[in-house]
Amino acid sequence: MINQFRNLNPINLLLLAAYTVFMRLAIFINVPNELNFEFLEPYAKLLIQIPIANHFSPTVNIIVATIIVFLQALLFNRIINNHGLLAKPSYLPALMYITGSGLFLQFLILSPPLICNFLLIWMMEKLLKIGKEQNAMMTMFDVGMIIALGTLIYFPFIVLLAMLWLSLLLYRSFNWREWIAGFIGFLTIFFFIAVFYYWNDNISQFYKIWRPLVNKFPSKLQINYNDYLVLIPIGVMMILAALQLRENFFRSFISTRKAFQMLFFMFIIAIISFYTKPDFRVFHFLLGVPPGAVLLAYYFSKAKNRWFYESLFAISVLCIQYFLFV
């Protein structure tokens, strides 16, 4: 299967669509009786109302989520290929994105992080460009606004503000205008939110929006480890990918090295941002799928022993299916 997706054969689009549905068979067969979808954070609902989000039946919810994942995979694939992060253009990034988006049952339904992944992929594209631009002020301003929009949908997205400055450290020499441009872009969106709260004599509630940022990082997590056994083959692939990347690190283009460093930081920040939501759910970790999928795609684009990498991928898919059904 991996070999099939190592090229840009148009038939792979049909195979990807079929694979997307296959990875969701468990929830299509056992459709939940009720699925709730909250599109916006409470502080954004005061300004923006999207009533249609509350009228999706469970079946429609799952179908829409499936279509969204497929579209995101194609968009993600195009961006990775355009920036030359793999050995050659292929459909491996899309394949890995769809695989990562099917790890848990909560990944298979509409959720705020799933919507935010459109913004995260868009943000990735812009950050991958900044090393090639003479002046990155406007790009950083745009990224700041993207993060603000994501924060309206799902508050933990705000932690990705750190990527503004980490990316600048990796790609560019210090320019104070570029360093503040992204933050100004973020504040531009929330300025209008603040004005709305002020007009409604509710400015004290606006300050409460930021309280989760000072939450203590949990020292203990209540985890049912049996629910996460499915991550074992994925973890093995991630380790092999890291070793592969380390082996070829200094033989890669400087831009490629910086891109993978940036994506590594994005993956870590997306994962740890759960601390801002004390009642976070498993679907939060969808935010880690795009940067994680790049690393997996890199491994499979470089792997040599076909029997090994094909078997490893098949085992991981079978494990995912098994744990989705049990």
Side-chain angles (χ1 to χ4, degrees):
M1 189 171 185
I2 294 296
N3 253 31
Q4 175 64 36
F5 288 94
R6 277 182 156 181
N7 57 70
L8 288 176
N9 190 330
I11 198 172
N12 287 342
L13 289 172
L14 296 176
L15 294 175
L16 279 172
Y19 181 67
T20 307
V21 174
F22 170 73
M23 292 300 290
R24 283 153 173 74
L25 279 180
I27 201 165
F28 276 119
I29 292 172
N30 299 301
V31 178
N33 294 326
E34 184 180 351
L35 288 174
N36 295 320
F37 172 47
E38 296 293 335
F39 182 73
L40 296 168
E41 291 285 359
Y43 53 80
K45 288 180 182 177
L46 297 175
L47 182 63
I48 308 168
Q49 294 291 332
I50 306 181
I52 192 173
N54 299 318
H55 297 290
F56 285 159
S57 69
T59 302
V60 172
N61 183 305
I62 296 165
I63 291 172
V64 171
T66 303
I67 294 170
I68 286 174
V69 167
F70 181 68
L71 293 176
Q72 286 176 346
L74 296 184
L75 179 62
F76 173 73
N77 195 83
R78 182 183 64 80
I79 291 169
I80 300 305
N81 286 337
N82 286 349
H83 288 278
L85 298 188
L86 305 184
K88 65 176 185 178
S90 69
Y91 279 111
L92 286 175
L95 181 68
M96 294 302 119
Y97 184 89
I98 293 168
T99 303
S101 298
L103 278 173
F104 302 104
L105 276 174
Q106 287 195 28
F107 283 16
L108 309 183
I109 61 176
L110 280 176
S111 63
L114 180 61
I115 305 301
C116 281
N117 269 354
F118 275 118
L119 299 174
L120 187 62
I121 292 168
W122 187 15
M123 178 179 161
M124 283 173 57
E125 181 182 29
K126 287 191 170 291
L127 291 178
L128 287 168
K129 289 179 179 177
I130 62 174
K132 304 170 187 176
E133 297 176 339
Q134 289 186 348
N135 190 324
M137 283 179 60
M138 287 307 300
T139 299
M140 299 310 294
F141 183 86
D142 291 344
V143 172
M145 294 189 76
I146 291 170
I147 295 171
L149 290 173
T151 304
L152 295 180
I153 298 170
Y154 187 58
F155 185 79
F157 204 80
I158 193 175
V159 182
L160 287 165
L161 275 173
M163 288 306 305
L164 293 172
W165 303 296
L166 284 171
S167 299
L168 288 172
L169 279 172
L170 284 169
Y171 282 102
R172 305 184 66 83
S173 56
F174 180 75
N175 181 328
W176 68 269
R177 293 180 180 85
E178 293 176 353
W179 276 65
I180 66 169
F183 195 59
I184 292 173
F186 178 85
L187 292 178
T188 299
I189 299 293
F190 275 90
F191 170 77
F192 292 106
I193 303 292
V195 169
F196 180 82
Y197 272 81
Y198 179 75
W199 278 347
N200 288 275
D201 295 322
N202 211 9
I203 196 66
S204 61
Q205 295 300 313
F206 177 76
Y207 296 127
K208 292 180 181 179
I209 293 173
W210 316 105
R211 284 183 178 176
L213 289 174
V214 296
N215 286 350
K216 291 183 179 179
F217 198 84
S219 56
K220 293 183 180 179
L221 293 173
Q222 294 182 349
I223 296 175
N224 184 351
Y225 292 100
N226 292 332
D227 294 339
Y228 297 92
L229 291 175
V230 67
L231 294 177
I232 292 175
I234 300 295
V236 171
M237 289 192 290
M238 292 289 278
I239 292 169
L240 291 173
L243 293 173
Q244 184 78 265
L245 185 61
R246 181 171 174 261
E247 181 182 338
N248 297 318
F249 191 72
F250 292 105
R251 284 182 268 175
S252 305
F253 292 111
I254 294 175
S255 60
T256 304
R257 287 184 231 161
K258 291 181 177 180
F260 275 102
Q261 287 175 305
M262 185 269 288
L263 291 169
F264 171 76
F265 286 124
M266 182 178 287
F267 177 77
I268 297 298
I269 290 170
I271 295 298
I272 66 173
S273 62
F274 76 87
Y275 86 93
T276 59
K277 271 226 181 249
D279 59 341
F280 82 96
R281 300 180 185 178
V282 173
F283 59 52
H284 167 86
F285 299 109
L286 270 168
L287 294 176
V289 170
V294 181
L295 191 59
L296 293 177
Y298 180 84
Y299 167 68
F300 284 111
S301 70
K302 294 283 188 180
K304 302 296 183 185
N305 296 323
R306 182 175 179 181
W307 69 268
F308 179 76
Y309 64 72
E310 292 282 10
S311 300
L312 183 60
F313 182 72
I315 290 170
S316 68
V317 171
L318 290 174
C319 283
I320 292 169
Q321 290 298 318
Y322 173 79
F323 285 103
L324 287 177
F325 275 100
V326 297

